[in-house]
Amino acid sequence: MKTLDGKIALVTGGSRGAGRGIAVELGKAGATVYVTGRSVRGASTNNWPGTVNDTVLEIEAVGGKGIAVQCDHTNDVETEAVISQIRKEQGKLDILINNVWGAHDLGVEGKPFWELSLKNWDTMFTAGVRAQLAVNHFAVPLLRENKQAFIVHTTFWDHGKYTGQFYYDLAKNALVRMVYGLSMELKEDNIAVLAVSPGFMRTELVLKYHGADEEHWTEADDLKQTETPYYVGRGITALANDPNVMGKNGQVFRAGELAKEYGFTDIDGRYIPPFTI
């Protein structure tokens, strides 16, 4: 069902992983989805699998409409240009999914804080937290022109438990707090702002790390409790369709919690409980 027909969405960091799954599910539900990322056909970051063009092809394969835009969201000029393009081509923006996260370039090391490189700050805060903040900065004026709108920040959260990596924990919790502050600022504009936390996802990079693929992942013990990126995509799509989503304003939800509330499963028909540390 095209429940989001006529809606315009922007999914940042949509070349692969959660962004790709979210973009595809929103497109399947009828939204026109702008997909941004650094990776384009013929020039994928670090030669990783996945580009914004690939995501658009997948959206089209499920009957949706996607528009690929190359953008490095650490560059404010490029970020502003994306919003200007949406305004010019669509005249509005209904759904903003802040998913950009550049820290994959560095990886996550389980060392004590004092042994970690300060490059962790540069990647997780500049290419993660600040990049998402910048998207809001340029997009919110367009969102405020609507009678209602919807913003989601993807994060990682398990009831405030420590993730085990100092900079990662700090950055992901900063996003949760960003959501709360924005929810206060935009409440009078009828813009719902939420954070959504996926579980352990079988992203392209996770499968590559484990030497597995989507056909054989069950053979790897470490992946047995994983979910696909479409699981969180279905959760966010359910929220976008919820007429009472303002009642959730400023809160953070785990994908498994949304699956239980809205009654959806992963693409293989499984219900995966909320991930916990």
Side-chain angles (χ1 to χ4, degrees):
M1 293 178 62
K2 302 289 186 180
T3 52
L4 296 179
D5 192 38
K7 299 293 186 181
I8 307 301
L10 167 61
V11 179
T12 67
S15 299
R16 61 188 67 84
R20 185 171 185 171
I22 295 165
V24 170
E25 291 296 329
L26 288 172
K28 186 192 296 184
T32 295
V33 186
Y34 283 76
V35 184
T36 63
R38 293 175 295 172
S39 296
V40 294
R41 190 172 295 122
S44 176
T45 303
N46 298 326
N47 291 315
W48 287 334
T51 67
V52 290
N53 308 95
D54 296 327
T55 299
V56 165
L57 287 177
E58 191 171 345
I59 292 170
E60 292 172 347
V62 295
K65 180 180 180 182
I67 299 167
V69 184
Q70 185 178 30
C71 179
D72 180 346
H73 285 290
T74 66
N75 185 324
D76 292 344
V77 172
E78 293 186 19
T79 299
E80 185 175 21
V82 171
I83 305 304
S84 297
Q85 179 180 342
I86 294 172
R87 179 184 286 279
K88 180 179 178 181
E89 294 176 356
Q90 308 295 337
K92 67 168 186 169
L93 178 62
D94 302 289
I95 300 166
L96 169 60
I97 310 301
N98 259 308
N99 176 70
V100 61
W101 178 254
H104 297 299
D105 295 1
L106 189 63
V108 177
E109 298 179 272
K111 296 179 180 179
F113 160 74
W114 54 92
E115 294 181 12
L116 292 169
S117 168
L118 289 172
K119 289 181 180 179
N120 281 272
W121 177 274
D122 299 328
T123 54
M124 295 187 194
F125 278 81
T126 301
V129 179
R130 189 193 183 283
Q132 294 197 25
L133 179 66
V135 175
N136 284 322
H137 175 79
F138 293 112
V140 162
L142 182 56
L143 289 162
R144 290 183 68 237
E145 294 176 14
N146 294 352
K147 292 183 179 179
Q148 61 181 28
F150 180 54
I151 300 173
V152 167
H153 286 255
T154 58
T155 187
F156 180 81
W157 181 83
D158 184 12
H159 299 281
K161 294 177 186 175
Y162 186 53
T163 64
Q165 206 272 12
F166 181 82
Y167 289 102
Y168 183 84
D169 186 89
L170 196 58
K172 292 301 186 181
N173 279 284
L175 293 172
V176 171
R177 191 63 183 179
M178 189 189 302
V179 162
Y180 179 73
L182 283 172
S183 74
M184 296 294 102
E185 298 253 338
L186 296 172
K187 181 168 52 177
E188 299 304 318
D189 294 296
N190 201 29
I191 298 176
V193 189
L194 287 75
V196 175
S197 176
F200 184 12
M201 291 184 294
R202 287 193 312 281
T203 65
E204 296 90 340
L205 297 183
V206 166
L207 288 169
K208 183 178 180 180
Y209 176 82
H210 287 273
D213 56 38
E214 194 55 35
E215 285 70 42
H216 302 94
W217 65 269
T218 55
E219 298 170 13
D221 289 341
D222 291 345
L223 299 179
K224 287 186 176 177
Q225 297 303 315
T226 56
E227 60 200 50
T228 74
Y230 304 97
Y231 197 50
V232 68
R234 291 181 173 187
I236 288 173
T237 300
L239 288 168
N241 276 308
D242 188 343
N244 300 312
V245 71
M246 279 299 294
K248 292 179 165 60
N249 197 28
Q251 299 178 53
V252 54
F253 298 91
R254 295 178 294 171
E257 294 166 343
L258 296 175
K260 187 172 183 179
E261 177 178 355
Y262 291 105
F264 63 85
T265 65
D266 205 345
I267 58 174
D268 59 3
R270 293 189 309 145
Y271 163 72
I272 298 99
F275 182 84
T276 187
I277 296 173

